[in-house]
Amino acid sequence: MSSLSKLNPLNSMNLRQKTILLIGLIVLLLVLVYASSLSIDPANILTDFTLRNQPPSFEHLFGTDWLGRDMLTRTIKGLGLSIFIGAVASILSSILAIIMAFISSVNKYGDVLIAWLIDFFASIPHLLLLIMISICLGKGAMGVIIGVACTHWTSLARVLRVEIKEIQTSEYVQLSEKFGKNKFWIAKEHILILVITQVIVGTLLIFPHAIMHEASITFLGFGLSPHEPAIGIILSESMSYLTTGAWWLAVFPGVMLLIIVLLFDILGEEVEKLLDPTKAQK
Amino acid sequence: MYLNANNISYAYKKNKPILKNLSISIPDNKVIGLMGDSGSGKSTLCKVISGYIKNYTGTVTLDNNLIETKDFYPIQLIFQHPEKTMNPKWKMHKVLSESWNPPQELMDTFGLKDNWLGRWPNELSGGELQRFSILRALNPKTKFIIADEISTMLDAVTQVQIWDALLDYCKQNKIGILAVSHDKELLEVIADDILLFNEINKL
Ligand SMILES: Nc1ncnc2c1ncn2[C@@H]1O[C@H](COP(=O)(O)OP(=O)(O)OP(=O)(O)O)[C@@H](O)[C@H]1O
Ligand SMILES: [Mg+2]
């Protein structure tokens, strides 16, 4: 038994190495999905009426739709778009959170304003606000990205605001002021390095929300336009074919979307474990 | 040069004054020792003098001039617990150079080993960290040092070594010292005068 377990390389790795391995695998998988979606030219997704509504087979693993298009190709193209929108929206919302937390840390009145803004944005149902912003900006990718960014910055901003407050009352920051350092220097040198972990993990954890929200408002018709190859569009179109028994049109893209979302969720947690081992032990 | 604290009064909570009409004067060529009971307010006084507590009444002056708060503060406090005064994500060379870059021979007199500079604060002992916080406070712009029980975590030999180095540097550079300690024997060795906190605090 013991000689067997020695042969398994996974057993000889410590927790940290396993975490790094898992992160590496997930990133590889996501990059693979994204890269293959880039390599697909939507003009090349052939419509072939002789292959309409084919159930899954070896040639078409995810089946074909009512125009005879290969669903695997369409799904991957859609996932690529989801990842892209998720990435831009998450990063944008983190930047927003950082700016908000920064304003609240340098100015008393700014702090009151930001605290109010956080509560205000957090109290409105995400989806409702998102739909409103998306419609105001004329739907499309732009509207969805800004909508998601505007609704998802609050949780990270809240964490950062509390964390920064604590750091600012620490003895090393007070001492830094006595060395004649100004607020901006302290923010850049003392505070940033202590909150960078939260920023990275926070950004990764917004990802799954961003992707799900994009898909759901697109599905509802308030997001991306119907000619864009998004998963939400695929799902809403397939609804009208479900009654004819074409279950594969919805099931495979839906499950794939869930898997991508889950991967990002795990990625966020693993990165947190890696960067902040004390927290992970709790 | 003289450091004067005049008629200082302070309370953390309104009806519970800690300092009352307290005055103290420190010349730049002397070491003034301060002794007092635990919890009587010595550290509070140190924080008032070195600018950490701002809403006190009374004045703190250098040669009768108020002190500019935006620049390097000429009265430097050395804390009892050095680990709290260092950013845990900074290596020691950054911790030290945030204040200034002391010459090599000064680092040697304080027994600072070169390889400590590349370490994180949690990789050094309290005594090793305290050498950094003392050296950090000896910036050329420093005029007075407030030493609030800075050597309690050191063994007797190290305590002597570090105080010797500190007193030596301060004599040469005309830096006055206020040394707070429970250790009467230590104060008798290092201080020119010893004040009792309960006598200067008019509670
Ligand atoms: N931040 C604070 N808020 C409220 N009360 C405080 C605070 N810091 C200290 N005190 C109180 O003020 C009193 C004086 O504290 P201080 O630390 O100045 O005493 P000390 O003379 O330095 O004691 P020790 O010899 O134990 O270091 C104590 O009763 C303490 O509980
Ligand atoms: Mg004290």
Side-chain angles (χ1 to χ4, degrees), chain A residues 29-30 33 62 71-72 75-76 79 211 231 250-263:
Chain A
L29 211 65
L30 291 171
V33 170
F62 286 11
M71 284 307 289
L72 176 59
T75 301
I76 292 197
L79 291 177
I211 290 177
I231 296 286
V251 169
F252 287 118
V255 168
M256 287 302 286
L257 184 71
L258 278 183
I259 291 177
I260 294 290
V261 165
L262 272 178
L263 284 180

mmCIF file of all heavy atoms in Angstrom, chain A residues 29-30 33 62 71-72 75-76 79 211 231 250-263:
data_model
loop_
_atom_site.group_PDB
_atom_site.id
_atom_site.type_symbol
_atom_site.label_atom_id
_atom_site.label_comp_id
_atom_site.label_asym_id
_atom_site.label_seq_id
_atom_site.Cartn_x
_atom_site.Cartn_y
_atom_site.Cartn_z
ATOM 1 N N LEU A 29 -7.445 25.154 -19.063
ATOM 2 C CA LEU A 29 -8.745 24.792 -19.632
ATOM 3 C C LEU A 29 -9.474 26.030 -20.148
ATOM 4 O O LEU A 29 -9.996 26.052 -21.269
ATOM 5 C CB LEU A 29 -9.576 24.121 -18.539
ATOM 6 C CG LEU A 29 -10.572 23.067 -19.000
ATOM 7 C CD1 LEU A 29 -9.813 21.900 -19.593
ATOM 8 C CD2 LEU A 29 -11.418 22.620 -17.828
ATOM 9 N N LEU A 30 -9.476 27.080 -19.320
ATOM 10 C CA LEU A 30 -10.189 28.304 -19.713
ATOM 11 C C LEU A 30 -9.516 28.961 -20.918
ATOM 12 O O LEU A 30 -10.197 29.416 -21.840
ATOM 13 C CB LEU A 30 -10.235 29.276 -18.531
ATOM 14 C CG LEU A 30 -11.123 28.817 -17.374
ATOM 15 C CD1 LEU A 30 -10.951 29.719 -16.160
ATOM 16 C CD2 LEU A 30 -12.585 28.781 -17.795
ATOM 17 N N VAL A 33 -10.455 26.986 -23.997
ATOM 18 C CA VAL A 33 -11.809 27.295 -24.476
ATOM 19 C C VAL A 33 -11.804 28.642 -25.186
ATOM 20 O O VAL A 33 -12.335 28.788 -26.288
ATOM 21 C CB VAL A 33 -12.813 27.331 -23.300
ATOM 22 C CG1 VAL A 33 -14.157 27.895 -23.767
ATOM 23 C CG2 VAL A 33 -13.000 25.948 -22.719
ATOM 24 N N PHE A 62 -22.561 17.800 -29.953
ATOM 25 C CA PHE A 62 -23.658 18.500 -29.278
ATOM 26 C C PHE A 62 -24.902 18.564 -30.167
ATOM 27 O O PHE A 62 -25.832 19.295 -29.890
ATOM 28 C CB PHE A 62 -23.239 19.941 -28.919
ATOM 29 C CG PHE A 62 -22.275 20.005 -27.747
ATOM 30 C CD1 PHE A 62 -21.673 18.868 -27.235
ATOM 31 C CD2 PHE A 62 -21.982 21.233 -27.154
ATOM 32 C CE1 PHE A 62 -20.798 18.932 -26.172
ATOM 33 C CE2 PHE A 62 -21.104 21.308 -26.075
ATOM 34 C CZ PHE A 62 -20.508 20.156 -25.591
ATOM 35 N N MET A 71 -23.654 22.483 -33.051
ATOM 36 C CA MET A 71 -23.888 23.144 -31.753
ATOM 37 C C MET A 71 -22.629 23.234 -30.904
ATOM 38 O O MET A 71 -22.488 24.141 -30.093
ATOM 39 C CB MET A 71 -24.989 22.413 -30.977
ATOM 40 C CG MET A 71 -26.384 22.690 -31.484
ATOM 41 S SD MET A 71 -26.749 24.459 -31.591
ATOM 42 C CE MET A 71 -26.874 24.876 -29.883
ATOM 43 N N LEU A 72 -21.697 22.281 -31.058
ATOM 44 C CA LEU A 72 -20.446 22.342 -30.285
ATOM 45 C C LEU A 72 -19.677 23.625 -30.649
ATOM 46 O O LEU A 72 -19.221 24.369 -29.776
ATOM 47 C CB LEU A 72 -19.587 21.109 -30.571
ATOM 48 C CG LEU A 72 -18.202 21.087 -29.911
ATOM 49 C CD1 LEU A 72 -18.322 21.168 -28.401
ATOM 50 C CD2 LEU A 72 -17.412 19.854 -30.305
ATOM 51 N N THR A 75 -21.498 26.609 -29.283
ATOM 52 C CA THR A 75 -21.359 26.696 -27.829
ATOM 53 C C THR A 75 -19.993 27.267 -27.454
ATOM 54 O O THR A 75 -19.890 28.172 -26.626
ATOM 55 C CB THR A 75 -21.527 25.309 -27.186
ATOM 56 O OG1 THR A 75 -22.814 24.806 -27.541
ATOM 57 C CG2 THR A 75 -21.401 25.395 -25.674
ATOM 58 N N ILE A 76 -18.951 26.739 -28.096
ATOM 59 C CA ILE A 76 -17.603 27.218 -27.753
ATOM 60 C C ILE A 76 -17.452 28.687 -28.113
ATOM 61 O O ILE A 76 -16.897 29.484 -27.344
ATOM 62 C CB ILE A 76 -16.535 26.358 -28.462
ATOM 63 C CG1 ILE A 76 -16.594 24.965 -27.832
ATOM 64 C CG2 ILE A 76 -15.153 26.974 -28.324
ATOM 65 C CD1 ILE A 76 -15.415 24.105 -28.087
ATOM 66 N N LEU A 79 -19.160 30.549 -25.399
ATOM 67 C CA LEU A 79 -18.409 30.541 -24.133
ATOM 68 C C LEU A 79 -17.259 31.543 -24.184
ATOM 69 O O LEU A 79 -16.976 32.231 -23.206
ATOM 70 C CB LEU A 79 -17.869 29.141 -23.844
ATOM 71 C CG LEU A 79 -18.914 28.078 -23.495
ATOM 72 C CD1 LEU A 79 -18.242 26.722 -23.317
ATOM 73 C CD2 LEU A 79 -19.675 28.464 -22.242
ATOM 74 N N ILE A 211 -20.565 36.404 -15.631
ATOM 75 C CA ILE A 211 -20.934 35.512 -16.737
ATOM 76 C C ILE A 211 -22.405 35.113 -16.644
ATOM 77 O O ILE A 211 -23.152 35.152 -17.626
ATOM 78 C CB ILE A 211 -20.027 34.264 -16.721
ATOM 79 C CG1 ILE A 211 -18.606 34.664 -17.121
ATOM 80 C CG2 ILE A 211 -20.567 33.209 -17.660
ATOM 81 C CD1 ILE A 211 -17.613 33.534 -17.078
ATOM 82 N N ILE A 231 -24.157 32.653 -25.398
ATOM 83 C CA ILE A 231 -24.862 31.499 -24.841
ATOM 84 C C ILE A 231 -26.314 31.870 -24.514
ATOM 85 O O ILE A 231 -27.240 31.096 -24.755
ATOM 86 C CB ILE A 231 -24.159 30.995 -23.553
ATOM 87 C CG1 ILE A 231 -22.755 30.483 -23.884
ATOM 88 C CG2 ILE A 231 -24.970 29.901 -22.896
ATOM 89 C CD1 ILE A 231 -22.723 29.151 -24.584
ATOM 90 N N ALA A 250 -30.542 23.097 -25.767
ATOM 91 C CA ALA A 250 -30.438 23.878 -24.528
ATOM 92 C C ALA A 250 -29.499 23.227 -23.515
ATOM 93 O O ALA A 250 -28.735 23.911 -22.837
ATOM 94 C CB ALA A 250 -31.820 24.059 -23.909
ATOM 95 N N VAL A 251 -29.557 21.891 -23.441
ATOM 96 C CA VAL A 251 -28.846 21.211 -22.354
ATOM 97 C C VAL A 251 -27.330 21.402 -22.452
ATOM 98 O O VAL A 251 -26.696 21.834 -21.488
ATOM 99 C CB VAL A 251 -29.189 19.709 -22.325
ATOM 100 C CG1 VAL A 251 -28.260 18.963 -21.382
ATOM 101 C CG2 VAL A 251 -30.631 19.523 -21.903
ATOM 102 N N PHE A 252 -26.741 21.124 -23.615
ATOM 103 C CA PHE A 252 -25.275 21.188 -23.695
ATOM 104 C C PHE A 252 -24.727 22.599 -23.479
ATOM 105 O O PHE A 252 -23.823 22.789 -22.663
ATOM 106 C CB PHE A 252 -24.786 20.594 -25.022
ATOM 107 C CG PHE A 252 -24.909 19.096 -25.069
ATOM 108 C CD1 PHE A 252 -25.719 18.475 -26.006
ATOM 109 C CD2 PHE A 252 -24.227 18.305 -24.150
ATOM 110 C CE1 PHE A 252 -25.838 17.095 -26.028
ATOM 111 C CE2 PHE A 252 -24.340 16.923 -24.169
ATOM 112 C CZ PHE A 252 -25.157 16.317 -25.115
ATOM 113 N N PRO A 253 -25.264 23.613 -24.182
ATOM 114 C CA PRO A 253 -24.736 24.969 -23.922
ATOM 115 C C PRO A 253 -24.947 25.384 -22.472
ATOM 116 O O PRO A 253 -24.050 25.978 -21.855
ATOM 117 C CB PRO A 253 -25.560 25.856 -24.856
ATOM 118 C CG PRO A 253 -26.044 24.945 -25.914
ATOM 119 C CD PRO A 253 -26.261 23.611 -25.256
ATOM 120 N N GLY A 254 -26.106 25.022 -21.904
ATOM 121 C CA GLY A 254 -26.389 25.387 -20.514
ATOM 122 C C GLY A 254 -25.409 24.751 -19.555
ATOM 123 O O GLY A 254 -24.827 25.421 -18.693
ATOM 124 N N VAL A 255 -25.178 23.446 -19.722
ATOM 125 C CA VAL A 255 -24.256 22.737 -18.830
ATOM 126 C C VAL A 255 -22.833 23.279 -18.993
ATOM 127 O O VAL A 255 -22.120 23.496 -18.008
ATOM 128 C CB VAL A 255 -24.296 21.215 -19.101
ATOM 129 C CG1 VAL A 255 -23.159 20.508 -18.395
ATOM 130 C CG2 VAL A 255 -25.625 20.645 -18.654
ATOM 131 N N MET A 256 -22.433 23.539 -20.230
ATOM 132 C CA MET A 256 -21.088 24.080 -20.455
ATOM 133 C C MET A 256 -20.908 25.436 -19.762
ATOM 134 O O MET A 256 -19.874 25.712 -19.168
ATOM 135 C CB MET A 256 -20.823 24.240 -21.964
ATOM 136 C CG MET A 256 -20.590 22.930 -22.699
ATOM 137 S SD MET A 256 -19.219 21.982 -22.028
ATOM 138 C CE MET A 256 -17.849 22.942 -22.632
ATOM 139 N N LEU A 257 -21.960 26.257 -19.853
ATOM 140 C CA LEU A 257 -21.892 27.559 -19.189
ATOM 141 C C LEU A 257 -21.710 27.376 -17.679
ATOM 142 O O LEU A 257 -20.881 28.032 -17.049
ATOM 143 C CB LEU A 257 -23.170 28.359 -19.466
ATOM 144 C CG LEU A 257 -23.172 29.772 -18.896
ATOM 145 C CD1 LEU A 257 -22.211 30.654 -19.668
ATOM 146 C CD2 LEU A 257 -24.566 30.381 -18.916
ATOM 147 N N LEU A 258 -22.476 26.439 -17.112
ATOM 148 C CA LEU A 258 -22.361 26.167 -15.675
ATOM 149 C C LEU A 258 -20.953 25.705 -15.319
ATOM 150 O O LEU A 258 -20.391 26.122 -14.299
ATOM 151 C CB LEU A 258 -23.371 25.096 -15.265
ATOM 152 C CG LEU A 258 -24.783 25.602 -15.017
ATOM 153 C CD1 LEU A 258 -25.679 24.474 -14.539
ATOM 154 C CD2 LEU A 258 -24.751 26.720 -13.971
ATOM 155 N N ILE A 259 -20.387 24.847 -16.180
ATOM 156 C CA ILE A 259 -19.043 24.336 -15.891
ATOM 157 C C ILE A 259 -18.035 25.485 -15.882
ATOM 158 O O ILE A 259 -17.196 25.592 -14.979
ATOM 159 C CB ILE A 259 -18.632 23.265 -16.934
ATOM 160 C CG1 ILE A 259 -19.492 22.011 -16.729
ATOM 161 C CG2 ILE A 259 -17.148 22.919 -16.802
ATOM 162 C CD1 ILE A 259 -19.250 20.918 -17.730
ATOM 163 N N ILE A 260 -18.136 26.362 -16.867
ATOM 164 C CA ILE A 260 -17.214 27.507 -16.914
ATOM 165 C C ILE A 260 -17.363 28.361 -15.649
ATOM 166 O O ILE A 260 -16.374 28.760 -15.016
ATOM 167 C CB ILE A 260 -17.488 28.369 -18.166
ATOM 168 C CG1 ILE A 260 -17.165 27.587 -19.450
ATOM 169 C CG2 ILE A 260 -16.681 29.671 -18.118
ATOM 170 C CD1 ILE A 260 -15.705 27.322 -19.685
ATOM 171 N N VAL A 261 -18.600 28.606 -15.264
ATOM 172 C CA VAL A 261 -18.856 29.406 -14.061
ATOM 173 C C VAL A 261 -18.239 28.742 -12.836
ATOM 174 O O VAL A 261 -17.566 29.378 -12.021
ATOM 175 C CB VAL A 261 -20.376 29.597 -13.869
ATOM 176 C CG1 VAL A 261 -20.679 30.095 -12.479
ATOM 177 C CG2 VAL A 261 -20.906 30.572 -14.904
ATOM 178 N N LEU A 262 -18.450 27.428 -12.731
ATOM 179 C CA LEU A 262 -17.896 26.688 -11.596
ATOM 180 C C LEU A 262 -16.368 26.756 -11.595
ATOM 181 O O LEU A 262 -15.751 26.920 -10.545
ATOM 182 C CB LEU A 262 -18.341 25.229 -11.662
ATOM 183 C CG LEU A 262 -19.668 24.931 -10.975
ATOM 184 C CD1 LEU A 262 -20.039 23.463 -11.138
ATOM 185 C CD2 LEU A 262 -19.572 25.293 -9.494
ATOM 186 N N LEU A 263 -15.781 26.619 -12.780
ATOM 187 C CA LEU A 263 -14.319 26.671 -12.874
ATOM 188 C C LEU A 263 -13.787 27.996 -12.336
ATOM 189 O O LEU A 263 -12.817 28.032 -11.585
ATOM 190 C CB LEU A 263 -13.872 26.476 -14.324
ATOM 191 C CG LEU A 263 -13.921 25.048 -14.862
ATOM 192 C CD1 LEU A 263 -13.460 25.007 -16.309
ATOM 193 C CD2 LEU A 263 -13.050 24.129 -14.012
#
